[in-house]
Amino acid sequence: MPWYVELARAVVGTIIIFSAVAIVAAMLGVLLERKISAWIQSRIGPTHTGPRGLLQTVADTIKLLQKEYIVPQNADAVIFASAVVVVPLAALLDYVVLPFGTTRWGPLIFRDLNIGVLYFAATSSLIVVGILMAGWGSNNKYALLGGLRSAAQMVSYEIPIGLVLVTISMLAGSLSTVTIVHAQSRLWFIVSQPVSFVIFFIAATAEVNRAPFDLVEAESELVAGYFSEYTGMRFALFQLGEYGEMFAMAALAVTLFFGGWQGPGLPSVVWFLIKLYALVFVFMWVRWTYPRFRIDQLLRFSWKVLIPVALLNLVVTAYFVIVRG
Amino acid sequence: MLLDWEYVAVFVFVGAAMVSLPFLIIALVSPRSSYPHKRETYESGVAPIGQAWSQFNVRYYLFSLMFVVFDVEIIYLYPWAVVARSLGASAFYSVLIFLAILVLGLVYAWRKGALEWT
């Protein structure tokens, strides 16, 4: 294939992934969040815009597009403005290595990098840079506190995630996400690695700053955390970053533990979406069920519980895979 | 034939353009009006006191320092994970030594009180 055809395909693929994430993850995700929270709290949720309130987030986006963009006079304008691009871009970079399904011509994935899992670990932690930029650049006390808390929290929970990723790649013998999915054709890793899944799920909830680990943007103490000073569409772009990251984490959990796109009967993409939304539902269920941690409890839980357990899990798995297997 | 990193580069640049696209729409449709109070830093309705760029708790720094130590050690585990199976039992015992050093670091930080918030 000539290089310009490949280039065109890469450009089209990028545009498709970005639009799909904006619609499926951000717009539908926010709507689902509002509907599910309403359901859990015995309310109705949005009902007026479109049939059964389905167009609520579309209307919100159009409204936010018309809002004024305000830069606080004390803020560092360059950092303040560029943080808005860094956060969603970092979240969307994860999608390069996520396999969405399979076709006659091979797996449906932007690029099956041979370092896929390591790439995901690297890009998903890039988002903390954007959050720190937003927190520092705003020159707002709430935003700064939110940014610092986020940095401490995300770096602490990255280590258990890294240890789980090593455990799973050792089982599959590869860092490529497609190979990991193929390795689960007989038995999903959730069956053989339940401890890994629990660690991954807890740490992923903390990585995407959702309750009970949402003290980065704790509404009752920090207004909106690191994006307190952002208005209009920039606020919406941070939401895109957050929901994009949450869906990416759920999709990685599907890839690592639930056999990815594999399933009987239905098309592979449908199976992937079913598993993805089931996990996203659990994320939302947890958010509206548990109260928030304090920062000392949060850090203690990561360093004194999750990291030792993840290390032990890695050693035990390695023993059974390498020495016994 | 495009290389792997060239695909990622295309993704980054096209993606940055896509994320910046809303700003074009904002520039065209959003209203503009400015007066001093609007551009003030938000601080629950009162005039902001001092700058936010001041001292903050040193604990945040300590935790990120420890993160660097542990994350670098985990990076060394990735190549091991790929080849561990083909190397056999020796791969397990050698990584055990490596992890023992890692655990030693964790225990040291724990005993020193670096993992406490107060």
Side-chain angles (χ1 to χ4, degrees), chain A residues 6 18 66-68 71-73 92 111 136 139-142 144 148 155 170-171 229 233 296 303-304 319 321-322, chain B residues 1-2 4 7 11 15 26 30-31 33 38-39 41-44 49 51-53 56 63 67 80 85 88 110 116-117:
Chain A
E6 273 193 84
F18 269 71
Q66 303 168 24
K67 294 293 176 188
E68 187 181 349
V71 185
Q73 57 192 2
L92 282 147
R111 190 70 179 164
W136 185 259
N139 196 358
N140 176 316
K141 283 156 197 156
Y142 301 116
L144 180 69
L148 287 174
V155 299
M170 182 184 59
L171 273 177
E229 288 286 359
M233 200 57 203
D296 59 325
W303 288 93
K304 297 190 176 174
Y319 178 73
V321 168
I322 301 169
Chain B
M1 185 64 189
L2 287 185
D4 277 345
Y7 270 91
F11 197 88
I26 299 174
S30 81
S33 75
K38 186 185 262 179
R39 301 190 63 226
T41 304
Y42 175 76
E43 204 163 295
S44 304
I49 299 167
Q51 294 259 324
W53 295 332
F56 53 83
F63 276 99
F67 160 74
W80 167 80
R85 274 191 161 169
W110 197 324
E116 309 294 330
W117 185 257

Short mmCIF file of all heavy atoms in Angstrom, two decimals, chain A residues 6 18 66-68 71-73 92 111 136 139-142 144 148 155 170-171 229 233 296 303-304 319 321-322, chain B residues 1-2 4 7 11 15 26 30-31 33 38-39 41-44 49 51-53 56 63 67 80 85 88 110 116-117:
data_model
loop_
_atom_site.label_atom_id
_atom_site.label_comp_id
_atom_site.label_asym_id
_atom_site.label_seq_id
_atom_site.Cartn_x
_atom_site.Cartn_y
_atom_site.Cartn_z
N GLU A 6 -2.14 5.02 3.23
CA GLU A 6 -2.08 4.72 4.66
C GLU A 6 -2.28 5.97 5.49
O GLU A 6 -2.98 5.95 6.51
CB GLU A 6 -0.73 4.08 4.99
CG GLU A 6 -0.73 2.59 4.80
CD GLU A 6 0.50 1.98 5.44
OE1 GLU A 6 0.46 1.74 6.65
OE2 GLU A 6 1.50 1.79 4.74
N PHE A 18 -12.26 10.12 17.21
CA PHE A 18 -12.54 11.32 18.01
C PHE A 18 -14.04 11.62 18.03
O PHE A 18 -14.61 11.92 19.07
CB PHE A 18 -11.76 12.52 17.47
CG PHE A 18 -10.43 12.68 18.12
CD1 PHE A 18 -9.40 11.80 17.86
CD2 PHE A 18 -10.19 13.70 19.03
CE1 PHE A 18 -8.17 11.93 18.48
CE2 PHE A 18 -8.96 13.84 19.64
CZ PHE A 18 -7.96 12.95 19.36
N GLN A 66 -22.22 28.73 22.86
CA GLN A 66 -22.55 30.15 22.74
C GLN A 66 -22.09 30.96 23.94
O GLN A 66 -22.32 32.16 24.00
CB GLN A 66 -24.07 30.32 22.60
CG GLN A 66 -24.65 29.57 21.43
CD GLN A 66 -26.15 29.53 21.51
OE1 GLN A 66 -26.76 30.37 22.13
NE2 GLN A 66 -26.74 28.54 20.87
N LYS A 67 -21.45 30.32 24.91
CA LYS A 67 -21.08 31.05 26.12
C LYS A 67 -19.76 31.78 25.94
O LYS A 67 -18.90 31.37 25.15
CB LYS A 67 -20.96 30.08 27.31
CG LYS A 67 -22.27 29.46 27.70
CD LYS A 67 -23.21 30.50 28.27
CE LYS A 67 -24.56 29.87 28.56
NZ LYS A 67 -25.55 30.88 28.94
N GLU A 68 -19.60 32.84 26.71
CA GLU A 68 -18.39 33.65 26.58
C GLU A 68 -17.21 32.93 27.21
O GLU A 68 -17.35 32.16 28.15
CB GLU A 68 -18.60 34.99 27.28
CG GLU A 68 -17.47 35.96 27.05
CD GLU A 68 -17.69 37.27 27.77
OE1 GLU A 68 -18.78 37.49 28.27
OE2 GLU A 68 -16.73 38.06 27.81
N VAL A 71 -11.03 34.73 30.59
CA VAL A 71 -9.73 34.43 31.19
C VAL A 71 -9.58 35.33 32.41
O VAL A 71 -9.61 36.55 32.29
CB VAL A 71 -8.57 34.72 30.21
CG1 VAL A 71 -7.26 34.27 30.82
CG2 VAL A 71 -8.80 34.03 28.90
N PRO A 72 -9.42 34.74 33.60
CA PRO A 72 -9.22 35.58 34.79
C PRO A 72 -7.96 36.42 34.64
O PRO A 72 -6.97 35.96 34.07
CB PRO A 72 -9.07 34.56 35.92
CG PRO A 72 -9.59 33.28 35.39
CD PRO A 72 -9.40 33.31 33.93
N GLN A 73 -8.00 37.65 35.16
CA GLN A 73 -6.87 38.56 34.91
C GLN A 73 -5.59 38.09 35.59
O GLN A 73 -4.50 38.39 35.13
CB GLN A 73 -7.23 39.97 35.36
CG GLN A 73 -7.62 40.06 36.82
CD GLN A 73 -8.24 41.39 37.14
OE1 GLN A 73 -8.40 42.22 36.26
NE2 GLN A 73 -8.58 41.59 38.41
N LEU A 92 -7.88 10.91 24.86
CA LEU A 92 -8.21 10.24 23.61
C LEU A 92 -7.04 9.46 23.04
O LEU A 92 -7.24 8.52 22.27
CB LEU A 92 -8.72 11.27 22.60
CG LEU A 92 -10.17 11.63 22.91
CD1 LEU A 92 -10.47 13.05 22.58
CD2 LEU A 92 -11.09 10.72 22.15
N ARG A 111 -4.15 1.09 15.76
CA ARG A 111 -2.84 0.54 15.46
C ARG A 111 -2.49 -0.46 16.55
O ARG A 111 -2.48 -0.11 17.72
CB ARG A 111 -1.79 1.65 15.41
CG ARG A 111 -0.45 1.19 14.87
CD ARG A 111 -0.53 0.90 13.40
NE ARG A 111 0.77 0.48 12.88
CZ ARG A 111 0.90 -0.13 11.70
NH1 ARG A 111 -0.15 -0.37 10.95
NH2 ARG A 111 2.09 -0.49 11.27
N TRP A 136 -2.75 25.02 38.13
CA TRP A 136 -1.74 26.03 38.39
C TRP A 136 -2.02 27.30 37.59
O TRP A 136 -1.91 28.41 38.10
CB TRP A 136 -0.36 25.48 38.05
CG TRP A 136 0.75 26.42 38.39
CD1 TRP A 136 1.42 27.23 37.53
CD2 TRP A 136 1.31 26.65 39.68
NE1 TRP A 136 2.36 27.95 38.20
CE2 TRP A 136 2.32 27.61 39.52
CE3 TRP A 136 1.04 26.13 40.95
CZ2 TRP A 136 3.07 28.09 40.59
CZ3 TRP A 136 1.80 26.59 42.01
CH2 TRP A 136 2.79 27.56 41.83
N ASN A 139 -4.60 30.17 38.75
CA ASN A 139 -4.29 31.05 39.88
C ASN A 139 -5.51 31.22 40.78
O ASN A 139 -5.87 32.32 41.17
CB ASN A 139 -3.79 32.41 39.38
CG ASN A 139 -3.10 33.17 40.48
OD1 ASN A 139 -3.02 32.70 41.62
ND2 ASN A 139 -2.61 34.35 40.17
N ASN A 140 -6.15 30.11 41.04
CA ASN A 140 -7.32 30.10 41.89
C ASN A 140 -7.04 29.07 42.98
O ASN A 140 -6.51 28.01 42.71
CB ASN A 140 -8.52 29.67 41.03
CG ASN A 140 -9.80 29.53 41.81
OD1 ASN A 140 -9.81 28.98 42.90
ND2 ASN A 140 -10.87 30.01 41.25
N LYS A 141 -7.40 29.40 44.23
CA LYS A 141 -7.02 28.50 45.31
C LYS A 141 -7.70 27.14 45.20
O LYS A 141 -7.09 26.10 45.44
CB LYS A 141 -7.34 29.14 46.66
CG LYS A 141 -6.31 30.20 47.01
CD LYS A 141 -6.84 31.22 47.96
CE LYS A 141 -5.94 32.44 47.95
NZ LYS A 141 -6.63 33.65 48.38
N TYR A 142 -8.97 27.15 44.82
CA TYR A 142 -9.68 25.87 44.68
C TYR A 142 -9.05 25.03 43.57
O TYR A 142 -8.87 23.83 43.70
CB TYR A 142 -11.15 26.12 44.34
CG TYR A 142 -11.89 26.93 45.35
CD1 TYR A 142 -12.41 28.18 45.01
CD2 TYR A 142 -12.06 26.46 46.63
CE1 TYR A 142 -13.09 28.93 45.94
CE2 TYR A 142 -12.74 27.22 47.56
CZ TYR A 142 -13.25 28.44 47.22
OH TYR A 142 -13.92 29.18 48.13
N LEU A 144 -6.03 25.18 42.37
CA LEU A 144 -4.69 24.69 42.72
C LEU A 144 -4.80 23.48 43.64
O LEU A 144 -4.11 22.47 43.44
CB LEU A 144 -3.89 25.81 43.41
CG LEU A 144 -2.48 25.37 43.80
CD1 LEU A 144 -1.62 25.15 42.57
CD2 LEU A 144 -1.83 26.38 44.71
N LEU A 148 -3.40 19.75 42.73
CA LEU A 148 -2.39 19.06 43.55
C LEU A 148 -2.93 17.72 44.06
O LEU A 148 -2.23 16.71 44.04
CB LEU A 148 -1.99 19.93 44.73
CG LEU A 148 -1.12 21.13 44.39
CD1 LEU A 148 -0.93 21.99 45.61
CD2 LEU A 148 0.22 20.65 43.86
N VAL A 155 -0.85 9.69 40.66
CA VAL A 155 0.43 8.99 40.65
C VAL A 155 0.40 7.82 41.63
O VAL A 155 1.00 6.79 41.38
CB VAL A 155 1.63 9.92 40.94
CG1 VAL A 155 1.73 10.99 39.89
CG2 VAL A 155 1.56 10.51 42.31
N MET A 170 2.18 -10.82 31.46
CA MET A 170 2.95 -12.03 31.67
C MET A 170 2.11 -13.27 31.35
O MET A 170 2.59 -14.21 30.71
CB MET A 170 3.42 -12.09 33.11
CG MET A 170 4.27 -13.29 33.42
SD MET A 170 4.66 -13.31 35.14
CE MET A 170 3.06 -13.38 35.84
N LEU A 171 0.83 -13.23 31.74
CA LEU A 171 -0.06 -14.35 31.43
C LEU A 171 -0.20 -14.53 29.92
O LEU A 171 -0.18 -15.64 29.41
CB LEU A 171 -1.44 -14.10 32.03
CG LEU A 171 -1.67 -14.53 33.46
CD1 LEU A 171 -3.05 -14.15 33.91
CD2 LEU A 171 -1.47 -16.03 33.59
N GLU A 229 -12.38 27.68 37.04
CA GLU A 229 -12.34 28.97 36.34
C GLU A 229 -12.72 28.86 34.87
O GLU A 229 -12.71 29.86 34.16
CB GLU A 229 -10.92 29.56 36.43
CG GLU A 229 -10.56 30.09 37.82
CD GLU A 229 -11.25 31.40 38.12
OE1 GLU A 229 -12.00 31.91 37.28
OE2 GLU A 229 -11.03 31.90 39.24
N MET A 233 -17.41 26.29 26.40
CA MET A 233 -16.96 25.10 25.70
C MET A 233 -15.72 24.50 26.36
O MET A 233 -15.49 23.30 26.28
CB MET A 233 -16.66 25.47 24.24
CG MET A 233 -16.67 24.29 23.33
SD MET A 233 -18.25 23.42 23.40
CE MET A 233 -17.77 21.82 22.85
N ASP A 296 -6.00 11.50 53.27
CA ASP A 296 -5.07 10.59 53.95
C ASP A 296 -5.53 9.15 53.82
O ASP A 296 -4.72 8.24 53.61
CB ASP A 296 -4.90 11.00 55.43
CG ASP A 296 -6.21 10.98 56.17
OD1 ASP A 296 -7.22 11.31 55.54
OD2 ASP A 296 -6.23 10.63 57.36
N TRP A 303 -1.11 2.99 49.01
CA TRP A 303 0.27 2.59 49.30
C TRP A 303 0.36 1.42 50.26
O TRP A 303 1.28 0.63 50.20
CB TRP A 303 1.07 3.77 49.87
CG TRP A 303 1.38 4.79 48.83
CD1 TRP A 303 0.63 5.89 48.54
CD2 TRP A 303 2.48 4.80 47.92
NE1 TRP A 303 1.20 6.58 47.50
CE2 TRP A 303 2.33 5.94 47.11
CE3 TRP A 303 3.57 3.96 47.71
CZ2 TRP A 303 3.23 6.25 46.10
CZ3 TRP A 303 4.46 4.27 46.72
CH2 TRP A 303 4.29 5.42 45.92
N LYS A 304 -0.62 1.32 51.19
CA LYS A 304 -0.49 0.28 52.20
C LYS A 304 -1.37 -0.92 51.94
O LYS A 304 -1.23 -1.95 52.59
CB LYS A 304 -0.83 0.86 53.59
CG LYS A 304 0.16 1.94 53.97
CD LYS A 304 0.01 2.35 55.40
CE LYS A 304 1.08 3.35 55.77
NZ LYS A 304 0.87 3.88 57.12
N TYR A 319 4.78 -17.32 39.98
CA TYR A 319 5.18 -18.66 40.44
C TYR A 319 4.38 -19.74 39.72
O TYR A 319 4.96 -20.70 39.19
CB TYR A 319 4.97 -18.76 41.95
CG TYR A 319 5.32 -20.13 42.50
CD1 TYR A 319 6.65 -20.51 42.60
CD2 TYR A 319 4.33 -21.02 42.88
CE1 TYR A 319 6.97 -21.76 43.08
CE2 TYR A 319 4.64 -22.26 43.35
CZ TYR A 319 5.97 -22.64 43.45
OH TYR A 319 6.29 -23.87 43.91
N VAL A 321 2.67 -19.48 36.89
CA VAL A 321 2.81 -19.47 35.42
C VAL A 321 4.18 -19.98 35.01
O VAL A 321 4.29 -20.83 34.10
CB VAL A 321 2.56 -18.05 34.88
CG1 VAL A 321 2.98 -17.97 33.42
CG2 VAL A 321 1.12 -17.68 35.03
N ILE A 322 5.23 -19.52 35.68
CA ILE A 322 6.58 -19.80 35.20
C ILE A 322 7.10 -21.11 35.78
O ILE A 322 7.56 -22.00 35.07
CB ILE A 322 7.53 -18.65 35.53
CG1 ILE A 322 7.03 -17.37 34.88
CG2 ILE A 322 8.94 -18.96 35.04
CD1 ILE A 322 7.75 -16.15 35.34
N MET B 1 4.71 2.37 3.41
CA MET B 1 4.56 1.67 4.69
C MET B 1 4.82 2.64 5.84
O MET B 1 5.94 3.10 6.03
CB MET B 1 5.55 0.50 4.70
CG MET B 1 5.44 -0.40 5.92
SD MET B 1 3.87 -1.26 6.01
CE MET B 1 4.02 -1.96 7.65
N LEU B 2 3.79 2.96 6.60
CA LEU B 2 3.98 3.85 7.73
C LEU B 2 4.41 3.06 8.96
O LEU B 2 3.92 1.96 9.18
CB LEU B 2 2.69 4.60 8.05
CG LEU B 2 2.25 5.70 7.09
CD1 LEU B 2 1.02 6.39 7.65
CD2 LEU B 2 3.34 6.70 6.87
N ASP B 4 4.87 2.41 13.14
CA ASP B 4 3.94 2.52 14.25
C ASP B 4 3.87 3.93 14.82
O ASP B 4 2.81 4.50 15.02
CB ASP B 4 4.36 1.55 15.36
CG ASP B 4 3.84 0.15 15.11
OD1 ASP B 4 2.95 0.03 14.26
OD2 ASP B 4 4.33 -0.78 15.74
N TYR B 7 1.92 6.44 12.84
CA TYR B 7 0.48 6.38 13.08
C TYR B 7 0.12 7.19 14.32
O TYR B 7 -0.84 7.97 14.32
CB TYR B 7 0.04 4.93 13.27
CG TYR B 7 -0.35 4.23 12.00
CD1 TYR B 7 0.59 3.53 11.26
CD2 TYR B 7 -1.64 4.30 11.52
CE1 TYR B 7 0.24 2.89 10.09
CE2 TYR B 7 -2.00 3.67 10.34
CZ TYR B 7 -1.05 2.96 9.63
OH TYR B 7 -1.40 2.36 8.47
N PHE B 11 -2.18 10.54 14.76
CA PHE B 11 -3.26 10.60 15.74
C PHE B 11 -3.14 11.85 16.60
O PHE B 11 -4.12 12.55 16.86
CB PHE B 11 -3.23 9.34 16.61
CG PHE B 11 -4.50 9.08 17.36
CD1 PHE B 11 -5.52 8.35 16.78
CD2 PHE B 11 -4.68 9.56 18.63
CE1 PHE B 11 -6.69 8.10 17.46
CE2 PHE B 11 -5.85 9.32 19.32
CZ PHE B 11 -6.86 8.58 18.74
N GLY B 15 -5.68 14.76 16.04
CA GLY B 15 -6.47 14.85 17.27
C GLY B 15 -6.42 16.25 17.86
O GLY B 15 -7.45 16.79 18.27
N ILE B 26 -16.39 28.89 18.79
CA ILE B 26 -16.52 29.87 19.87
C ILE B 26 -16.16 31.26 19.35
O ILE B 26 -16.86 32.24 19.59
CB ILE B 26 -15.58 29.54 21.05
CG1 ILE B 26 -15.91 28.17 21.63
CG2 ILE B 26 -15.71 30.58 22.12
CD1 ILE B 26 -14.91 27.76 22.69
N SER B 30 -19.49 33.18 20.08
CA SER B 30 -19.65 33.54 21.49
C SER B 30 -19.62 35.05 21.68
O SER B 30 -18.91 35.76 20.97
CB SER B 30 -18.57 32.87 22.32
OG SER B 30 -17.38 33.60 22.24
N PRO B 31 -20.40 35.55 22.64
CA PRO B 31 -20.45 37.00 22.87
C PRO B 31 -19.19 37.49 23.58
O PRO B 31 -18.47 36.69 24.18
CB PRO B 31 -21.67 37.15 23.79
CG PRO B 31 -21.72 35.85 24.52
CD PRO B 31 -21.22 34.81 23.57
N SER B 33 -17.93 40.65 26.15
CA SER B 33 -18.10 41.91 26.88
C SER B 33 -17.20 41.79 28.08
O SER B 33 -17.01 40.71 28.62
CB SER B 33 -19.55 42.08 27.32
OG SER B 33 -19.80 41.24 28.41
N LYS B 38 -15.76 40.95 36.11
CA LYS B 38 -15.92 39.66 35.45
C LYS B 38 -14.60 38.90 35.40
O LYS B 38 -14.58 37.67 35.53
CB LYS B 38 -16.44 39.88 34.03
CG LYS B 38 -16.76 38.58 33.31
CD LYS B 38 -17.14 38.83 31.88
CE LYS B 38 -18.64 38.84 31.72
NZ LYS B 38 -19.04 39.11 30.34
N ARG B 39 -13.50 39.60 35.25
CA ARG B 39 -12.22 38.92 35.08
C ARG B 39 -11.52 38.66 36.41
O ARG B 39 -10.37 38.25 36.44
CB ARG B 39 -11.32 39.74 34.14
CG ARG B 39 -11.98 39.92 32.76
CD ARG B 39 -11.03 40.51 31.76
NE ARG B 39 -9.90 39.64 31.52
CZ ARG B 39 -8.64 40.05 31.49
NH1 ARG B 39 -8.37 41.31 31.70
NH2 ARG B 39 -7.68 39.21 31.26
N THR B 41 -10.62 36.64 39.84
CA THR B 41 -10.56 35.23 40.23
C THR B 41 -11.75 34.89 41.12
O THR B 41 -12.10 35.67 41.99
CB THR B 41 -9.25 34.96 40.98
OG1 THR B 41 -8.18 35.37 40.15
CG2 THR B 41 -9.10 33.51 41.31
N TYR B 42 -12.34 33.70 40.91
CA TYR B 42 -13.48 33.30 41.71
C TYR B 42 -13.03 32.88 43.10
O TYR B 42 -12.14 32.05 43.25
CB TYR B 42 -14.21 32.14 41.04
CG TYR B 42 -15.32 31.59 41.88
CD1 TYR B 42 -16.51 32.28 41.98
CD2 TYR B 42 -15.17 30.41 42.58
CE1 TYR B 42 -17.53 31.81 42.78
CE2 TYR B 42 -16.19 29.93 43.38
CZ TYR B 42 -17.37 30.64 43.47
OH TYR B 42 -18.36 30.17 44.27
N GLU B 43 -13.64 33.48 44.11
CA GLU B 43 -13.35 33.02 45.47
C GLU B 43 -14.61 33.14 46.31
O GLU B 43 -14.67 33.94 47.25
CB GLU B 43 -12.18 33.80 46.05
CG GLU B 43 -11.46 33.02 47.14
CD GLU B 43 -10.09 33.59 47.44
OE1 GLU B 43 -9.23 33.54 46.56
OE2 GLU B 43 -9.89 34.09 48.56
N SER B 44 -15.62 32.38 45.93
CA SER B 44 -16.88 32.34 46.66
C SER B 44 -17.53 33.70 46.83
O SER B 44 -18.12 33.99 47.86
CB SER B 44 -16.68 31.70 48.05
OG SER B 44 -16.13 30.44 47.91
N ILE B 49 -8.16 37.08 48.10
CA ILE B 49 -7.11 37.56 49.01
C ILE B 49 -5.79 36.96 48.57
O ILE B 49 -5.61 35.74 48.61
CB ILE B 49 -7.42 37.15 50.47
CG1 ILE B 49 -8.75 37.77 50.89
CG2 ILE B 49 -6.30 37.58 51.39
CD1 ILE B 49 -9.31 37.20 52.16
N GLN B 51 -2.46 35.84 46.20
CA GLN B 51 -2.33 34.98 45.02
C GLN B 51 -2.54 33.53 45.43
O GLN B 51 -2.32 33.17 46.58
CB GLN B 51 -0.92 35.12 44.45
CG GLN B 51 -0.62 36.49 43.91
CD GLN B 51 -0.73 36.53 42.40
OE1 GLN B 51 -0.40 35.57 41.73
NE2 GLN B 51 -1.21 37.63 41.87
N ALA B 52 -2.93 32.70 44.47
CA ALA B 52 -2.99 31.27 44.76
C ALA B 52 -1.61 30.64 44.63
O ALA B 52 -1.38 29.55 45.13
CB ALA B 52 -3.97 30.58 43.82
N TRP B 53 -0.70 31.32 43.93
CA TRP B 53 0.64 30.76 43.76
C TRP B 53 1.45 31.01 45.01
O TRP B 53 2.24 31.95 45.09
CB TRP B 53 1.32 31.41 42.55
CG TRP B 53 0.64 31.09 41.27
CD1 TRP B 53 -0.08 29.99 40.99
CD2 TRP B 53 0.60 31.89 40.10
NE1 TRP B 53 -0.56 30.04 39.73
CE2 TRP B 53 -0.16 31.20 39.14
CE3 TRP B 53 1.15 33.13 39.74
CZ2 TRP B 53 -0.40 31.70 37.87
CZ3 TRP B 53 0.92 33.62 38.48
CH2 TRP B 53 0.14 32.91 37.55
N PHE B 56 2.34 25.29 49.38
CA PHE B 56 1.38 24.22 49.58
C PHE B 56 2.05 23.07 50.30
O PHE B 56 3.28 23.04 50.44
CB PHE B 56 0.72 23.78 48.27
CG PHE B 56 1.69 23.42 47.18
CD1 PHE B 56 2.26 22.17 47.13
CD2 PHE B 56 2.01 24.35 46.20
CE1 PHE B 56 3.14 21.84 46.13
CE2 PHE B 56 2.90 24.02 45.19
CZ PHE B 56 3.47 22.77 45.15
N PHE B 63 4.95 12.37 47.82
CA PHE B 63 4.29 11.25 47.15
C PHE B 63 4.69 11.17 45.69
O PHE B 63 4.88 10.08 45.16
CB PHE B 63 2.76 11.35 47.30
CG PHE B 63 2.28 10.77 48.59
CD1 PHE B 63 1.99 11.59 49.66
CD2 PHE B 63 2.15 9.41 48.74
CE1 PHE B 63 1.57 11.06 50.86
CE2 PHE B 63 1.72 8.87 49.93
CZ PHE B 63 1.43 9.70 51.00
N PHE B 67 6.52 8.08 43.79
CA PHE B 67 5.95 7.54 42.55
C PHE B 67 7.04 7.34 41.51
O PHE B 67 7.08 6.31 40.84
CB PHE B 67 4.88 8.48 42.02
CG PHE B 67 4.57 8.29 40.57
CD1 PHE B 67 3.85 7.20 40.14
CD2 PHE B 67 5.03 9.20 39.62
CE1 PHE B 67 3.58 7.01 38.81
CE2 PHE B 67 4.76 9.02 38.30
CZ PHE B 67 4.04 7.93 37.88
N TRP B 80 10.42 -7.92 31.10
CA TRP B 80 10.50 -9.23 31.76
C TRP B 80 9.21 -10.01 31.54
O TRP B 80 9.23 -11.23 31.24
CB TRP B 80 10.76 -9.03 33.25
CG TRP B 80 10.56 -10.29 34.05
CD1 TRP B 80 11.44 -11.32 34.17
CD2 TRP B 80 9.40 -10.66 34.78
NE1 TRP B 80 10.90 -12.30 34.94
CE2 TRP B 80 9.64 -11.93 35.33
CE3 TRP B 80 8.18 -10.04 35.02
CZ2 TRP B 80 8.71 -12.58 36.12
CZ3 TRP B 80 7.25 -10.69 35.80
CH2 TRP B 80 7.52 -11.96 36.34
N ARG B 85 7.98 -16.35 30.30
CA ARG B 85 7.62 -17.75 30.09
C ARG B 85 8.71 -18.54 29.39
O ARG B 85 8.99 -19.68 29.73
CB ARG B 85 6.34 -17.83 29.27
CG ARG B 85 5.13 -17.72 30.15
CD ARG B 85 3.91 -18.05 29.36
NE ARG B 85 2.83 -18.40 30.25
CZ ARG B 85 1.58 -18.54 29.84
NH1 ARG B 85 1.28 -18.35 28.58
NH2 ARG B 85 0.64 -18.86 30.69
N GLY B 88 11.86 -19.65 31.63
CA GLY B 88 11.77 -20.72 32.63
C GLY B 88 11.97 -20.23 34.05
O GLY B 88 11.89 -19.03 34.33
N TRP B 110 7.62 3.20 54.47
CA TRP B 110 6.56 2.96 55.45
C TRP B 110 7.05 3.26 56.87
O TRP B 110 6.45 4.02 57.62
CB TRP B 110 6.11 1.51 55.32
CG TRP B 110 4.80 1.17 55.94
CD1 TRP B 110 4.28 1.67 57.09
CD2 TRP B 110 3.84 0.24 55.41
NE1 TRP B 110 3.06 1.10 57.32
CE2 TRP B 110 2.76 0.22 56.32
CE3 TRP B 110 3.80 -0.58 54.30
CZ2 TRP B 110 1.65 -0.58 56.12
CZ3 TRP B 110 2.70 -1.39 54.11
CH2 TRP B 110 1.63 -1.38 55.01
N GLU B 116 2.53 8.51 55.63
CA GLU B 116 1.52 9.12 56.48
C GLU B 116 1.21 10.52 55.97
O GLU B 116 2.09 11.21 55.46
CB GLU B 116 2.02 9.22 57.93
CG GLU B 116 2.58 7.93 58.49
CD GLU B 116 1.52 6.86 58.64
OE1 GLU B 116 0.35 7.23 58.87
OE2 GLU B 116 1.86 5.68 58.52
N TRP B 117 -0.04 10.92 56.11
CA TRP B 117 -0.39 12.25 55.64
C TRP B 117 -0.14 13.28 56.72
O TRP B 117 0.27 14.40 56.44
CB TRP B 117 -1.85 12.28 55.20
CG TRP B 117 -2.21 13.58 54.60
CD1 TRP B 117 -2.92 14.59 55.17
CD2 TRP B 117 -1.84 14.05 53.29
NE1 TRP B 117 -3.01 15.65 54.31
CE2 TRP B 117 -2.36 15.34 53.16
CE3 TRP B 117 -1.12 13.50 52.24
CZ2 TRP B 117 -2.18 16.09 52.00
CZ3 TRP B 117 -0.94 14.25 51.09
CH2 TRP B 117 -1.47 15.52 50.98
#
